Amino acid sequence: MFDFMAISIIDILDIVIVALLIFLAFRWMRGSSAINIFFVVVSFYLLRVVASSLGMKMMTALMDMVLNLGLLALVVIFQPEVRRFL
């Protein structure tokens, strides 16, 4: 009936693993300021996707730089939390 929606066991396993990783990431960030910064990073990424889809080359390049340098800055800022996590 729904041939275009063929779901296999691998697809279900993939969804479960991704959901588990997202759950663990949120549980790890709960209670710290990391959750607020996470939402800012996600907002920047969504802004980059929208700018890219609208063909805004300058905004896309700016968001690429912010996201690339921002990830490095986040590792430096949250070094104690990263160390505790690992």
Side-chain angles (χ1 to χ4, degrees):
M1 184 161 145
F2 294 111
D3 290 334
F4 66 93
M5 290 182 50
I7 297 176
S8 68
I9 297 296
I10 299 298
D11 296 330
I12 294 172
L13 183 64
D14 185 32
I15 292 169
V16 168
I17 290 172
V18 169
L20 181 66
L21 288 174
I22 291 171
F23 170 75
L24 290 174
F26 273 113
R27 197 174 94 189
W28 172 60
M29 290 188 295
R30 184 182 59 207
S32 70
S33 62
I35 193 72
N36 294 333
I37 294 174
F38 173 75
F39 287 129
V40 169
V41 170
V42 168
S43 299
F44 278 154
Y45 181 74
L46 290 175
L47 181 62
R48 185 213 170 274
V49 168
V50 168
S52 177
S53 66
L54 293 176
M56 300 173 148
K57 294 178 185 176
M58 182 65 81
M59 181 63 86
T60 301
L62 180 65
M63 287 293 109
D64 282 341
M65 285 191 285
V66 166
L67 289 171
N68 289 336
L69 292 175
L71 288 176
L72 181 63
L74 286 177
V75 170
V76 171
I77 291 170
F78 288 106
Q79 187 228 356
E81 283 87 359
V82 170
R83 184 182 293 166
R84 185 183 63 185
F85 178 69
L86 296 176

